[in-house]
């Protein structure tokens, strides 16, 4: 079945550092790809998405590019802030049938001032 | 606009007891999802409704879990009897359409502890 594999955490960085969280996927179809974020004490919320190959999703300074050839959707940010501390989930959804979301295991990010 | 509402926020029960969770999706959202999130893991879909019909329940342990969505709006998820391994956060989400192109909006979750 479809699956998502994320870079293992936790990840700890200093403020203004460059961030990459790796995500690769396995899918039989042609999925849409998502990054969700869970801030401390809050519910999951969509950070960005991409629905076709070479699409770049972006939001709040974060970016991820849909790479079909490497089946990847790595999350990047050029300069992280303390407020970016959260758990990040990569997910995919097939665009046929039930189109359910399949999540990775999550990566906990902590940014130190 | 109001978000996805869930209750209760926390529940502690003993094994073999029963428990029910309630979810009210965003108004107008046809698709409703229940997820189980075990500590340290990503959410796992239990059941997906489109209006009041089940689209996918392939990962729902049907011997103990049941869910319904009456009138295509609110939904309840029940566990009977609960096991220790059911300790998790139960998330409800809704979307306007199916997940492939539509954003899912998540509720705050219900944290279940089974003793």
């Amino acid at each position: 079945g479809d699956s998502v594999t994320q870079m293992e955490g936790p990840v700890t960085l200093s403020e203004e550092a460059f961030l990459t969280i790796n995500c690769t996927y396995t899918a039989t179809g042609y999925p849409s790809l998502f990054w969700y974020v869970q801030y401390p004490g809050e519910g999951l919320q969509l950070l960005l998405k991409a629905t076709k190959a070479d699409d770049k999703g972006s939001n709040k300074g974060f970016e991820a590019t849909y790479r079909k050839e490497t089946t990847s959707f790595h999350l990047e940010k050029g300069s992280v802030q303390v407020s970016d501390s959260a758990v990040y989930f990569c997910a995919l959804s097939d665009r046929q049938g039930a189109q359910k979301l399949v999540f990775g295991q999550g990566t906990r990010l902590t940014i130190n001032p | 606009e109001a978000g996805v509402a869930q209750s209760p926020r926390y529940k502690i029960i003993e094994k073999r007891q029963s428990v029910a969770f309630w979810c009210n999706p965003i108004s107008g959202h046809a698709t409703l999802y229940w997820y189980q999130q075990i500590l340290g893991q990503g959410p796992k879909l239990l059941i997906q409704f489109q209006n009041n019909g089940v689209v996918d329940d392939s990962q729902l342990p049907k011997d103990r879990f049941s869910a319904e969505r009456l009138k295509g709006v609110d939904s309840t998820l029940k566990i009977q009897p609960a096991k220790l391994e059911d300790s998790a956060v139960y998330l409800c989400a809704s979307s306007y359409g199916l997940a492939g192109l539509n954003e899912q909006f998540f509720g705050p979750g219900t944290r279940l502890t089974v003793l």
Side-chain angles (χ1 to χ4, degrees):
Chain A
D2 295 351
S3 66
V4 175
T5 302
Q6 282 182 239
M7 163 180 179
E8 286 199 19
V11 174
T12 303
L13 296 172
S14 298
E15 207 166 19
E16 299 183 1
F18 183 86
L19 168 71
T20 300
I21 301 178
N22 290 337
C23 171
T24 57
Y25 67 90
T26 302
T28 53
Y30 190 3
S32 296
L33 300 175
F34 306 83
W35 278 99
Y36 277 80
V37 60
Q38 191 168 33
Y39 297 105
E42 299 184 19
L44 271 169
Q45 54 188 276
L46 179 66
L47 180 60
L48 53 84
K49 69 178 183 182
T51 57
K52 60 183 187 293
D54 300 324
D55 260 5
K56 179 184 285 188
S58 61
N59 187 23
K60 300 182 179 181
F62 290 89
E63 293 183 339
T65 301
Y66 191 141
R67 300 289 188 199
K68 191 167 183 285
E69 63 276 13
T70 55
T71 63
S72 65
F73 193 55
H74 305 321
L75 182 68
E76 296 183 336
K77 186 174 186 182
S79 177
V80 292
Q81 306 300 313
V82 172
S83 57
D84 294 326
S85 297
V87 182
Y88 292 81
F89 293 91
C90 185
L92 67 79
S93 173
D94 199 339
R95 285 185 287 171
Q96 296 184 359
Q99 300 182 30
K100 63 185 182 184
L101 272 179
V102 175
F103 285 88
Q105 75 271 31
T107 302
R108 181 175 297 277
L109 173 67
T110 301
I111 307 300
N112 294 321
Chain B
E1 126 186 310
V4 176
Q6 289 187 250
S7 67
R9 292 295 309 277
Y10 305 91
K11 190 74 177 179
I12 300 174
I13 61 173
E14 295 189 348
K15 60 183 179 183
R16 291 188 290 272
Q17 287 187 323
S18 63
V19 64
F21 312 126
W22 173 83
C23 173
N24 182 241
I26 292 173
S27 177
H29 281 192
T31 312
L32 185 146
Y33 316 78
W34 283 102
Y35 291 87
Q36 180 192 58
Q37 186 177 14
I38 292 172
L39 186 64
Q41 299 182 19
K44 181 184 82 172
L45 181 70
L46 293 176
I47 189 167
Q48 177 180 340
F49 293 93
Q50 182 74 8
N51 296 308
N52 59 349
V54 175
V55 175
D56 188 312
D57 64 357
S58 57
Q59 298 191 94
L60 186 74
K62 298 180 185 65
D63 57 334
R64 298 184 301 105
F65 285 65
S66 64
E68 60 181 8
R69 189 182 186 197
L70 299 177
K71 301 180 182 179
V73 182
D74 292 7
S75 177
T76 56
L77 176 70
K78 297 179 182 178
I79 308 175
Q80 182 180 11
K83 293 185 175 181
L84 296 177
E85 58 261 36
D86 298 332
S87 293
V89 176
Y90 290 85
L91 299 169
C92 180
S94 70
S95 63
Y96 182 73
L98 294 177
L101 295 173
N102 291 278
E103 179 180 353
Q104 288 189 25
F105 294 83
F106 285 79
T110 297
R111 183 177 298 278
L112 174 66
T113 302
V114 182
L115 303 176

